[in-house]
Amino acid sequence: MPELVLFHYDLSPFSEKVRAMLGYAGLDWYSAKVSEMPPRPVLDLLTGGYRKIPVAQIGADVYCDTRTIARQIARLGNCPSLILEDQPEDVQAFVARTDLDIFLACVIAASDLKMLRSLVRQTSLLHTLKFLKDRITMGRKARVRPVRGPEAKQTVLNHMADMEQRLTEDFLFGATPCIADFSAYHGLWFVCDLAGKPWLRDYPKVASWMARMRAFGHGQPTELTAEAALEMARSAQPVALPDADGKAEGIGRTVVVAPTDYGLDPVRGRLVYEGPNERILARETPETGLVHVHFPVQGFSVS
């Protein structure tokens, strides 16, 4: 049976990043579909209110942000190249820019009337209006300011031109894919595959690379309800905590962890582990039992 549950929705670019990694790793997984926007009451019980998607779950361990999810996919699928912190500095720098600045430019460049009509067709006009209101509110509260209008499109085109130069082999940093390929893929998937922008025609190497990335597929998903995932957490215990290099300050105290870029909703819990790349909060409710919620250190604050 699959170990990993992925909470996601079809139009989510970062969910597509994870789905592509699952395909590359050849994993079976549980697919738990959630709404494009809060409220997500069952998932909130597991995460403590973290609003970004995707979220992954393995038993009573919950993984927020694609960096912690990628580490679990790497472990389950024996794909160490998916672990960001183990990659060379040039790969980490590429991912840092692509997952934030380039991703936001892709979303802005793709969000036109054609995309809105597509969302209305797939959902409803009322749902689309609520979605827009949610994203506008989130954008106003964000601590990053993406480029706008024509500048967003030019940012994406410059990124594609840079990729065209990098692709001297099948993938961005060599003959086999690494985390950088998946970070570059999901933004262009949103622009080219969902929004239908024809920009790949001017970048043949990028177009061929996109075809190779799509060919990984999504692995073998099995549909699962959020309620069933909740029961899986309740009937399990968190895995043993990693060995810590000394006792980090604050272990055992109640803390608040929140993203530092956008989607700033905080999560409160008892800090049970803090390492160079990961923090783990313990949370316990009657509905979930004891769960451990995992966050990256980079890109998240703790107070």
Side-chain angles (χ1 to χ4, degrees):
M1 295 177 63
E3 292 186 46
L4 186 143
V5 179
L6 183 68
F7 295 88
H8 65 120
Y9 59 88
D10 291 338
L11 299 181
S12 162
F14 278 100
S15 294
E16 178 63 14
K17 176 182 178 180
V18 171
R19 292 188 295 252
M21 285 192 282
L22 289 163
Y24 171 61
L27 292 179
D28 297 344
W29 53 284
Y30 287 117
S31 169
K33 295 287 184 70
V34 296
S35 170
E36 293 90 346
M37 57 196 161
R40 306 180 185 109
V42 175
L43 182 57
D44 286 348
L45 287 171
L46 289 167
T47 66
Y50 177 76
R51 71 154 292 154
K52 291 186 179 182
I53 296 296
V55 169
Q57 173 194 345
I58 300 176
D61 287 85
V62 180
Y63 299 90
C64 300
D65 193 88
T66 57
R67 281 164 289 187
T68 63
I69 299 172
R71 184 175 287 274
Q72 295 307 308
I73 295 173
R75 177 182 64 83
L76 293 171
N78 191 26
C79 300
S81 63
L82 299 181
I83 300 175
L84 175 63
E85 296 82 7
D86 293 349
Q87 294 300 301
E89 288 186 5
D90 56 342
V91 172
Q92 294 193 42
F94 179 89
V95 170
R97 181 166 185 265
T98 305
D99 268 353
L100 185 59
D101 296 339
I102 300 301
F103 163 71
L104 292 174
C106 287
V107 170
I108 297 299
S111 298
D112 55 14
L113 286 176
K114 182 179 179 181
M115 176 64 86
L116 289 178
R117 291 192 193 102
S118 174
L119 185 57
V120 170
R121 285 194 301 269
Q122 293 184 45
T123 57
S124 68
L125 177 59
L126 179 60
H127 182 92
T128 300
L129 292 174
K130 289 181 178 179
F131 176 79
L132 289 174
K133 180 181 178 182
D134 175 76
R135 291 308 193 263
I136 290 169
T137 301
M138 184 170 66
R140 286 173 177 165
K141 295 178 180 179
R143 293 177 182 156
V144 292
R145 290 290 176 261
V147 293
R148 298 291 180 180
E151 189 179 355
K153 176 181 176 180
Q154 192 57 53
T155 297
V156 177
L157 294 179
N158 292 344
H159 173 61
M160 294 172 75
D162 173 69
M163 289 179 61
E164 188 78 6
Q165 295 299 314
R166 290 178 183 272
L167 284 165
T168 57
E169 298 184 71
D170 280 352
F171 297 96
L172 289 169
F173 288 88
T176 58
C178 70
I179 187 62
D181 293 278
F182 296 94
S183 292
Y185 169 68
H186 72 288
L188 296 187
W189 168 83
F190 192 76
V191 167
C192 301
D193 291 12
L194 287 191
K197 302 299 183 185
W199 303 338
L200 283 174
R201 65 190 176 194
D202 297 324
Y203 304 97
K205 290 183 180 179
V206 179
S208 297
W209 169 86
M210 281 288 287
R212 287 190 286 274
M213 296 298 292
R214 293 187 198 102
F216 291 135
H218 293 160
Q220 298 296 325
T222 299
E223 294 297 322
L224 187 76
T225 65
E227 290 77 12
L230 191 67
E231 177 57 34
M232 291 168 66
R234 188 165 48 237
S235 61
Q237 288 294 317
V239 298
L241 293 168
D243 292 331
D245 296 328
K247 192 173 180 64
E249 182 180 354
I251 293 296
R253 295 182 180 179
T254 297
V255 300
V256 172
V257 171
T260 56
D261 45 18
Y262 59 91
L264 306 178
D265 301 54
V267 175
R268 182 182 299 272
R270 182 167 53 88
L271 184 66
V272 293
Y273 173 79
E274 183 169 34
N277 302 313
E278 183 181 37
R279 291 189 184 98
I280 303 175
L281 303 189
R283 302 188 68 258
E284 189 165 7
T285 67
E287 295 88 353
T288 64
L290 175 65
V291 294
H292 282 175
V293 187
H294 301 243
F295 297 93
V297 169
Q298 184 182 8
F300 286 77
S301 65
V302 61
S303 59

